[in-house]
Amino acid sequence: MDLMVKDKKGVRILSETKSSYVIYAVDDQRINLDLITVFLKNKGFKVFTETDIIKAIKEIDTICPDLILLDVLMPDLSGFDACNLLKSFPRTKDIPIIFLTSLDETADKVKGLELGAVDYLTKPVQFSELLSRINSCLKISQLTKYLQEKNNLLVQEIYKRKKAQLALKNSEDRLKTIINNNLNGMIVIDYEGKILFLNSEAEKLFNREKNQMFGEILGIPLEFDTITELEIPRSYEELITVEMRAVPIIWNDNNAFLISFFDITERKKMEEKLKILFQASEQSPASIIITDIEGNIEYVNPKFEAVSGYKGEEIIGKNPRILKSGHTSDNDYKNLWESLKKGKEWQGEFHNIKKNGELYWEKALISPIFNSAGVITHYMAVKEDITEKKQQDILLQYQAKYDHLTKIPNRNYALEKVNYLLNQATETQSNLGLMFLDLDHFKEVNDSLGHDFGDELLIQATERMKKALRNTDLLARLGGDEFLIAIPCIEKFSDLEVITKKIIDLLQLPFDIFNHQVFISASIGITVFPHDGNNLKQLIRNADLAMYEAKKNGRNQFKFYQYHMSKIEINKTNIEKNFHEALANNEFKILYQPIVELKTQLINSAEALIRWENKDLGLIYPEKFIPLFENNSLIFTLENWLLKSVIEDIKTWKEIKNIPISLNLSEFEFEDQNIMNKLINSIPNNQLKNNNIQIEIKEDMLLERKHLLNSIFKDISALNIELCLDNFGIGFSSLTNLHKFSFNSLKIDQSLIHNLGEDKKAQKLVKSIIAAAKVLNIKTIAKGIEVKEQLDILNELECNYGQGYFFSQPLSAVNFVQYLLKQQK
């Protein structure tokens, strides 16, 4: 549809640009208005409606729409009378009116046209006819305005010429100015076709200067009141395509013609490109589908026909859902349409069905197509048949996840699934049993009877173990004769005993392997989440230790993991000897995890964490070696080294920023009467401010050493050393303790932060902790922040500080300095 826009002089001229016209519809039936509204809005129009004709007349006078749809038969005032009123108002008299009527009398139609209506539509309205009539009326209306305005200008020009011939030259100069400033090429010729004048755009168009063209005969046949498309030479080697229009004018008091040239060369090139694109689509190796906004197919290319088996004539007008096999989820389709309706592309895969019933996979990119007004009019899907690739991927995925011999999950996939079960158990707050199973005497069978016997034995043993397990349980082969079993949702430990005994009994029965009777047994180690540990690595090690304990005690039995098993394992390496060697070899490392202010995310302090990188044992975390050092009284030496090392580090970066460092001291330190002397001597002697060192206290210590700690805490506070209560909120929380021991800050345990976005109870608990701390003037620090959602919630709850991998993992002293420097920039 065309749009009228104003030129620099205020004259309205036709433009190709799409606009949103305003339509005002009046009908006493709301359902008619609703149907018209939906249809016209989808076609890019802005629509106002009213059932009350009196209100409508007032609104029309205010809005001044581009066109009015007016029902003839109205209850209070007829459409004819309303039309008569609107034509009497200055603001609305020129607005085109189309009557909507169920009347079919010629006299009624004549009456409406005499009143000023431009057209009639008979109810029920056909929407295609409605759109055609509206477009025609709008074009006629805008063209009429244009001609009226142009006519007014010509009348004024003639009047000026008759009134004052002396102003003729000035008028021509103004016309020349208009022509010279027009963006189209403009040429004035006399009746013989000689060029009298041309503007600079015409010079560019013909690639010649004015003085070369004056007096030449243009030599182009003219057609008036129409637009002609033709090719003209820009130079001897180049032709350009233009749209030409000629109108008669007066020039130097003589009859002449004004010819305008609009260069459409680029548009024609674009049309040629569209032809090429169509050919490319027809010959594309990918399936292409174009639908309307409702999803009805308007075009498919030959490749689509070849892949789907449907011919174009069979599929045009139908919805692509004809290809649905039921294997693609409703949620995928929902996401698809949500993306497309937002004007975004969607990429994904479909598991569709061909005309012959054969299933196939397609990788699809679906894009919305916009018109010049930015309105979505169509959708285009480009799809690639990936059935063969998908089958190969499925096979590779299976081979990557399942043991080729027993057809049960292999080690990597098993660990992935156990991680999932651990997360599920954490969310549901349930127990998860984990078993390590080793077949006793399997090596002897394998060595004496051969690998074929061994493989068959593993297959039969796997089938027997499956009989003892539920569908929800996991059985996996780790390698060789070792298996992993995960039992979710355990209510009591005795349930694991029942399952384990059943497995042992089944495996004790004789196996018939290639007409040979073979006897084996099994040793099983059991550990339970979260009772024995809270991470996969720790639980696997626990189950492994328990399994070897079962083997050591005679095999053909099971053992539950006990804490002393870990101690025995480490004691084998001579813990005291390793400790002194570790100090001498700098095996103990200090890491610093930044604590940031949540609102600014700028560093406020840091927590010192100790790690042991032993040459024999590898990386050992504090929870493994600290209890042993406490039993051997080595903890005092270690924490003296820790305090000294932290102070040295603080001194190296104090010129960058004064950062307080918090330390976790062992509960045994607080039984040492010299603890205060160590703190008093360490800080001033090293030229540190007292509050450069902060002390973290674990919450359970308050219950066991309340009377002893009360006195020590007072002495520490007197030194201006801040106290922080660690792991707050996991079972020992007491507001009385917070107030009694004068803590400066508390750390909210990471178990509460982990599910903060999903667990409303955790949110309420954290909110209450922060509120209580605020009343007591205690700063709050959230531990274990890993995602932005947790940060946003904590900011809403007005938590002061936080630490976690979202900001930074624990850093070495060198990397921590770099972190400080980065924040100083």
Side-chain angles (χ1 to χ4, degrees):
M1 112 195 19
D2 295 326
L3 169 69
M4 301 296 287
V5 296
K6 290 186 178 181
D7 64 10
K8 295 182 179 178
K9 196 172 181 180
V11 179
R12 305 188 82 184
I13 59 175
L14 283 173
S15 168
E16 292 296 325
T17 307
K18 180 76 171 64
S19 176
S20 180
Y21 287 96
V22 177
I23 308 294
Y24 199 106
V26 185
D27 196 314
D28 59 338
Q29 297 296 320
R30 171 54 62 184
I31 188 171
N32 293 339
L33 295 177
D34 291 343
L35 290 172
I36 289 171
T37 299
V38 170
F39 174 74
L40 292 180
K41 282 188 176 180
N42 282 336
K43 297 303 180 182
F45 293 95
K46 187 173 182 181
V47 183
F48 292 87
T49 63
E50 182 56 65
T51 57
D52 187 331
I53 196 165
I54 304 300
K55 290 182 180 178
I57 291 172
K58 294 179 181 179
E59 283 190 352
I60 289 170
D61 188 60
T62 302
I63 297 171
C64 282
D66 296 293
L67 185 140
I68 300 168
L69 298 176
L70 183 58
D71 189 13
V72 172
L73 299 178
M74 298 292 289
D76 296 326
L77 189 69
S78 75
F80 295 143
D81 293 334
C83 177
N84 201 19
L85 282 172
L86 290 168
K87 292 301 178 181
S88 67
F89 297 154
R91 285 170 54 82
T92 59
K93 65 184 180 68
D94 293 325
I95 299 175
I97 297 174
I98 298 177
F99 277 124
L100 305 176
T101 180
S102 56
L103 301 175
D104 198 28
E105 293 295 327
T106 304
D108 290 322
K109 293 184 178 179
V110 170
K111 180 181 178 182
L113 294 173
E114 286 176 349
L115 289 172
V118 296
D119 210 343
Y120 259 89
L121 276 174
T122 302
K123 293 183 179 180
V125 175
Q126 298 297 320
F127 288 120
S128 59
E129 182 183 7
L130 173 63
L131 179 62
S132 176
R133 297 288 182 91
I134 288 174
N135 283 337
S136 297
C137 288
L138 287 174
K139 288 180 180 179
I140 292 170
S141 174
Q142 298 297 346
L143 186 57
T144 299
K145 290 178 182 178
Y146 166 73
L147 292 175
Q148 287 174 348
E149 292 173 359
K150 190 67 178 178
N151 185 57
N152 289 338
L153 287 175
L154 291 174
V155 169
Q156 292 172 14
E157 191 66 29
I158 293 170
Y159 174 76
K160 288 178 182 178
R161 285 175 179 272
K162 290 180 179 180
K163 184 179 179 181
Q165 288 294 328
L166 292 176
L168 180 60
K169 189 177 185 311
N170 291 336
S171 177
E172 289 179 353
D173 289 342
R174 285 195 297 273
L175 182 57
K176 288 180 180 180
T177 301
I178 293 171
I179 294 173
N180 275 325
N181 288 283
N182 198 292
L183 296 178
N184 291 344
M186 307 288 284
I187 295 179
V188 179
I189 64 172
D190 63 15
Y191 265 50
E192 295 179 355
K194 291 181 180 178
I195 297 174
L196 304 176
F197 182 82
L198 69 158
N199 66 358
S200 57
E201 290 299 321
E203 287 185 280
K204 296 176 185 176
L205 207 62
F206 287 90
N207 196 26
R208 296 178 64 191
E209 295 181 0
K210 292 180 181 180
N211 55 11
Q212 295 175 328
M213 297 184 70
F214 284 143
E216 285 190 2
I217 294 177
L218 185 61
I220 296 176
L222 301 182
E223 292 184 34
F224 300 106
D225 299 323
T226 186
I227 297 174
T228 305
E229 183 181 305
L230 72 160
E231 288 186 334
I232 62 173
R234 184 191 295 273
S235 64
Y236 293 110
E237 297 179 354
E238 181 184 6
L239 288 175
I240 62 172
T241 307
V242 297
E243 287 182 344
M244 181 186 74
R245 184 171 185 177
V247 294
I249 62 170
I250 302 297
W251 188 267
N252 291 335
D253 212 19
N254 293 312
N255 292 326
F257 300 102
L258 175 63
I259 306 173
S260 66
F261 297 93
F262 179 64
D263 188 350
I264 62 169
T265 306
E266 291 303 319
R267 191 178 80 191
K268 298 299 288 185
K269 288 180 180 178
M270 183 60 68
E271 291 173 357
E272 187 61 30
K273 287 182 180 178
L274 289 175
K275 291 180 182 178
I276 295 171
L277 286 174
F278 176 75
Q279 293 174 349
S281 174
E282 287 287 288
Q283 300 170 30
S284 171
S287 296
I288 297 177
I289 304 175
I290 298 177
T291 74
D292 63 17
I293 196 168
E294 302 298 330
N296 299 314
I297 297 173
E298 293 187 356
Y299 168 81
V300 294
N301 71 340
K303 184 64 176 180
F304 170 86
E305 296 178 332
V307 172
S308 69
Y310 288 98
K311 294 296 181 183
E313 56 269 21
E314 295 178 288
I315 204 79
I316 298 298
K318 296 184 179 179
N319 193 285
R321 70 173 65 95
I322 196 173
L323 302 173
K324 288 177 66 173
S325 65
H327 290 75
T328 302
S329 71
D330 292 339
N331 194 49
D332 286 338
Y333 287 112
K334 180 182 176 183
N335 292 336
L336 182 158
W337 281 109
E338 284 179 353
S339 296
L340 293 180
K341 287 178 180 178
K342 291 177 182 177
K344 298 179 180 178
E345 290 183 344
W346 179 88
Q347 293 188 61
E349 295 179 355
F350 294 117
H351 201 184
N352 283 339
I353 188 168
K354 298 182 180 181
K355 183 181 178 181
N356 63 7
E358 180 184 343
L359 291 173
Y360 71 109
W361 283 94
E362 286 187 308
K363 182 178 181 181
L365 171 64
I366 305 179
S367 307
I369 299 174
F370 301 90
N371 63 14
S372 57
V375 177
I376 299 174
T377 60
H378 294 81
Y379 298 108
M380 181 174 72
V382 180
K383 303 192 292 182
E384 177 189 359
D385 186 349
I386 58 169
T387 306
E388 185 177 345
K389 180 179 181 297
K390 198 74 176 179
Q391 291 171 345
Q392 291 175 348
D393 289 346
I394 291 171
L395 179 60
L396 290 173
Q397 288 176 10
Y398 180 85
Q399 292 173 342
K401 292 182 177 181
Y402 289 88
D403 177 53
H404 72 284
L405 181 65
T406 60
K407 311 304 180 188
I408 60 176
N410 60 19
R411 181 183 186 88
N412 290 336
Y413 188 39
L415 297 181
E416 180 183 326
K417 295 195 74 169
V418 172
N419 254 327
Y420 170 78
L421 292 174
L422 286 173
N423 290 332
Q424 196 175 54
T426 302
E427 291 175 4
T428 58
Q429 297 183 345
S430 59
N431 297 319
L432 174 68
L434 203 63
M435 303 180 186
F436 260 33
L437 182 148
D438 184 86
L439 297 179
D440 302 325
H441 311 297
F442 175 77
K443 188 175 183 301
E444 289 88 330
V445 173
N446 217 29
D447 291 344
S448 59
L449 299 177
H451 291 291
D452 290 341
F453 278 80
D455 289 347
E456 182 62 23
L457 177 58
L458 288 172
I459 293 170
Q460 292 189 24
T462 299
E463 293 304 314
R464 290 190 186 183
M465 285 186 276
K466 286 181 181 178
K467 293 178 181 178
L469 301 174
R470 304 166 298 180
N471 291 335
T472 54
D473 300 334
L474 169 68
L475 173 64
R477 183 186 177 198
L478 300 182
D481 60 346
E482 290 187 344
F483 293 83
L484 172 69
I485 301 171
I487 314 292
C489 302
I490 294 298
E491 294 184 1
K492 48 188 181 296
F493 286 12
S494 59
D495 293 342
L496 292 173
E497 290 187 26
V498 172
I499 295 171
T500 309
K501 287 178 180 177
K502 189 174 181 181
I503 292 173
I504 288 176
D505 290 343
L506 286 171
L507 293 177
Q508 282 186 115
L509 297 175
F511 288 86
D512 185 4
I513 309 293
F514 303 141
N515 298 322
H516 285 73
Q517 272 201 341
V518 176
F519 293 89
I520 59 169
S521 59
S523 298
I524 304 175
I526 310 170
T527 189
V528 181
F529 168 85
H531 182 267
D532 299 331
N534 59 7
N535 65 77
L536 178 59
K537 184 177 179 182
Q538 183 180 5
L539 291 168
I540 286 178
R541 191 160 188 81
N542 292 347
D544 194 39
L545 289 170
M547 186 265 289
Y548 276 105
E549 186 76 9
K551 276 191 174 295
K552 187 177 71 174
N553 289 339
R555 305 186 182 188
N556 195 30
Q557 59 181 284
F558 64 89
K559 288 289 183 183
F560 279 91
Y561 168 77
Q562 300 293 327
Y563 180 67
H564 70 84
M565 295 177 184
S566 296
K567 288 191 174 184
I568 292 170
E569 181 203 19
I570 295 181
N571 278 331
K572 293 177 184 177
T573 63
N574 193 333
I575 192 68
E576 186 172 353
K577 176 184 177 184
N578 278 338
F579 171 74
H580 292 295
E581 288 181 356
L583 280 179
N585 297 331
N586 295 318
E587 292 181 7
F588 290 105
K589 309 294 181 184
I590 300 176
L591 302 179
Y592 296 96
Q593 186 167 36
I595 299 172
V596 305
E597 184 180 8
L598 293 186
K599 287 186 177 179
T600 64
Q601 296 190 32
L602 295 176
I603 187 167
N604 172 265
S605 57
E607 179 181 358
L609 304 169
I610 191 168
R611 301 287 187 266
W612 183 5
E613 295 181 6
N614 184 268
K615 63 181 184 300
D616 298 319
L617 302 175
L619 180 63
I620 310 174
Y621 287 89
E623 58 267 21
K624 200 79 167 179
F625 60 80
I626 291 296
L628 294 173
F629 290 167
E630 289 174 341
N631 291 338
N632 289 329
S633 299
L634 297 174
I635 192 65
F636 302 117
T637 305
L638 178 64
E639 292 193 343
N640 283 340
W641 171 85
L642 174 65
L643 183 60
K644 180 180 178 182
S645 300
V646 168
I647 289 172
E648 289 299 318
D649 285 340
I650 292 174
K651 287 164 63 178
T652 61
W653 63 59
K654 69 178 180 178
E655 299 300 327
I656 303 172
K657 189 171 183 179
N658 185 33
I659 296 293
I661 301 298
S662 59
L663 300 171
N664 277 290
L665 296 182
S666 165
E667 58 189 78
F668 290 90
E669 286 280 4
F670 291 93
E671 294 179 355
D672 182 7
Q673 298 302 317
N674 293 322
I675 184 172
M676 293 308 303
N677 293 331
K678 290 184 205 172
L679 292 172
I680 292 170
N681 293 333
S682 297
I683 295 170
N685 291 348
N686 287 280
Q687 299 178 341
L688 292 180
K689 295 180 180 179
N690 292 4
N691 55 15
N692 275 112
I693 296 293
Q694 299 173 341
I695 305 298
E696 292 190 15
I697 309 298
K698 295 203 180 300
E699 202 174 13
D700 53 356
M701 288 176 58
L702 301 180
L703 296 178
E704 299 173 4
R705 294 171 171 77
K706 184 178 294 186
H707 300 294
L708 175 65
L709 294 177
N710 193 34
S711 173
I712 294 176
F713 285 0
K714 287 181 180 179
D715 292 339
I716 291 176
S717 296
L719 287 175
N720 197 26
I721 295 175
E722 294 189 353
L723 290 171
C724 175
L725 181 58
D726 195 12
N727 296 341
F728 190 80
I730 56 171
F732 302 102
S733 309
S734 170
L735 298 181
T736 304
N737 288 335
L738 285 178
H739 179 66
K740 180 177 181 179
F741 289 109
S742 301
F743 286 102
N744 304 95
S745 60
L746 66 84
K747 288 191 173 182
I748 304 171
D749 191 73
Q750 62 186 10
S751 63
L752 296 176
I753 306 301
H754 179 67
N755 293 320
L756 200 57
E758 303 169 0
D759 190 342
K760 298 300 180 185
K761 291 182 179 179
Q763 283 191 27
K764 290 180 180 178
L765 180 56
V766 171
K767 182 178 181 180
S768 63
I769 291 172
I770 294 171
K774 190 179 292 186
V775 171
L776 297 172
N777 198 28
I778 295 175
K779 294 174 288 188
T780 49
I781 304 168
K783 295 177 67 174
I785 300 174
E786 295 183 351
V787 295
K788 189 175 185 300
E789 182 185 14
Q790 296 167 350
L791 172 63
D792 292 340
I793 294 172
L794 289 166
N795 268 322
E796 287 180 12
L797 299 178
E798 298 184 0
C799 182
N800 305 116
Y801 305 99
Q803 68 185 103
Y805 276 39
F806 180 77
F807 308 109
S808 174
Q809 61 185 7
L811 303 170
S812 65
V814 172
N815 290 337
F816 185 70
V817 170
Q818 292 177 349
Y819 186 91
L820 291 178
L821 289 171
K822 185 177 180 181
Q823 287 215 345
Q824 296 295 96
K825 293 180 180 178

